[in-house]
Amino acid sequence: MRFLSAGVKTAVLQSRRMASLLINDSKYAFLKDLGLSETNSGVFNGKWAASGPVTQSFSPANNLPIANIQNGTTEDFDKAVVEARKAYEQWCEVPAPRRGEVVRQIGDKLRANLQNLGALVSLEMGKISAEGVGEVQEYVDICDYATGLSRSLEGRIFPSERPGHTLLEQWNPLGVVGVISAFNFPCAVYGWNNALALVTGNSLIWKPAPSTPLTAIAVTKLIEEVLKANNLPGGLCSLVCGEGDVGQALVKDKRVNLVSFTGSTEVGRIVGQQVQGRFGKLLLELGGNNAIVVNDDADLDMVVPATVFAAVGTAGQRCTTTRRLIIHEKVYDQVLERLKRAYAQFESRIGDPLESTTIIGPLHNHEAVLKFKASIAEAIALGGKVEYGGKVLERDGNFVLPTIVTGLKPDSPVVLRETFAPILYVLKCKDVDEGIRINNSSAQGLSSSLFTSNLQNVFKWMGPKGSDCGIVNVNIPTSGAEIGGAFGGEKETGGGRESGSDSWRQYMRRSTCTINFSKQLPLAQGIKFE
Ligand code: NAD
């Protein structure tokens, strides 16, 4: 290097940096098959046109860079809104069933790329293969759901109290839907929004999490192919990768009619107030501190695997992860012992999320590992006992042991906080009523489950004095919601639903029309007009 000129040195360093990118490793050939390259534009508005700084996306399994991404700027965002708006003007006039046909094609395109895209989700986010593929499958499923929905976006007709009049309700698209998504579901969250927003006649602008841009770029490239094949403008599904500044531009822009935000309660609180401040529409899917309540009549053979799946899956980084296990005192010791045995069984299967034998992958980044350590330390300081785990693994990547903590009060600050890591706080209750009280003591209201074999408990749990969460499962864990049936939460989880039976209405506005088909104008009766 000593004898090289400055320009040559830069070129040599540059080529070394490129060679060390995982995209150039044949093990990850699926990245190029998805149309990704060493450096990728992170802005799509019909054209790929980013003008911001170049960053990198890293694999949580080894902290090595996967590929480079050129981010967008707020100016890029501005151009994307213009294109999204233009695309909307055309798209809103396409009949809904034809819009459904385009969404069906997007679903098919994803189906054809299921394994590759799933592998990218695993590589970039860190979740195991089955979950990476499962996440893309969720997008496919919502496309199917939305395709059917496109033929049933029904309005209603009401009888009027006036003779010769009828009340009609019609649903119209909103315009541009802005989607800001979280790192832990880099594909499915956009999918839920994308499929429903499209069939309801809207265009979209997507601002993905800064640490999972490659998944967003790969998804958008697949959508681009479908739009092109249908002679539709690419601006219909615009993308602007970037940091919080791009997110802020989206949140504050009046041309964005609905802001659909998925992320932490902390950021969601700011976003919510800002969108309200400009009278924009909002959909907030925020944090969760989910509990499973185990009654003494529960089938413990179901409780143990369900808890492990929901507390340890995605290394505790699902919004619906079980973070609190509230066990009836009569079965407390038995459940705890069985859980500890189950956790020990999986220790040898922590590892590379792309290996088929792996059951637990890494945390997403080093910051998450620090938060894991801080919460364990706080739990111990508050008198908690680490029954299992509690350690960071000495190896490349961001691996920790899934952890069980007992001995804390249900209202301990650390128990009431969502730490995005596999820490399970095990608590005791005297009966279902106390279990419900503890469940409801969290500020968030995303997901909850009751394990019982008693029908009276089931209806109490579902009713007004039961769980105050959006998801109130019985005998299945807190995660694993189904597309058409359930999603979304209450309290500090935000509000609104990205998925579920009536969520399409949130992507539309209702127009109510009173039609007078008589020759009378009853409102003006008795008044003479010249
Ligand atoms: P985060 O709040 O840090 O970031 C979410 C998104 O907001 C990112 O795209 C980020 O760049 C953007 N952002 C950051 N600051 C912003 C600002 N000031 N204005 C506008 N946008 C801004 O969340 P995260 O760490 O990516 O995700 C984890 C969180 O998301 C957890 O709390 C989890 O529970 C929650 N989550 C909820 C659901 C749900 O459906 N309820 C689903 C997935 C994740």
Side-chain angles (χ1 to χ4, degrees), residues 179-185 189 192 207-211 242-251 261-268 270-271 274 284-290 317-320 323 364 371 418 420 444 446 487-489 493-494 498:
V179 179
I180 300 179
S181 58
F183 79 84
N184 64 327
F185 276 92
V189 162
W192 302 330
K207 208 298 283 173
S211 56
E243 302 282 339
D245 58 333
V246 176
Q248 276 291 291
L250 187 155
V251 166
F261 176 88
T262 302
S264 59
T265 295
E266 193 187 2
V267 177
I270 300 168
V271 166
Q274 288 172 329
L284 295 176
E285 293 272 17
L286 311 179
N289 189 352
N290 317 292
Q317 299 164 107
R318 291 183 197 140
C319 50
T320 51
R323 308 196 183 281
H364 189 53
K371 286 187 179 163
E418 178 197 44
F420 229 49
Q444 283 106 0
L446 181 49
F487 221 79
T493 297
E498 274 169 5

Side-chain angles (χ1 to χ4, degrees), residues 70-85:
Q70 184 167 20
N71 268 342
T73 59
T74 50
E75 289 76 29
D76 292 334
F77 171 78
D78 190 66
K79 284 183 203 147
V81 185
V82 172
E83 294 307 319
R85 188 80 218 173

Side-chain angles (χ1 to χ4, degrees), residues 4-57:
L4 300 178
S5 70
V8 176
K9 264 190 213 169
T10 315
V12 170
L13 281 174
Q14 175 81 356
S15 79
R16 274 193 195 156
R17 263 208 302 273
M18 291 299 193
S20 69
L21 294 174
L22 295 183
I23 194 166
N24 292 319
D25 183 337
S26 58
K27 190 176 163 193
Y28 307 110
F30 59 85
L31 294 171
K32 289 186 178 161
D33 292 344
L34 285 167
L36 296 172
S37 47
E38 287 170 348
T39 301
N40 304 276
S41 171
V43 174
F44 179 68
N45 59 27
K47 294 190 194 95
W48 290 92
S51 64
V54 174
T55 62
Q56 294 187 313
S57 177

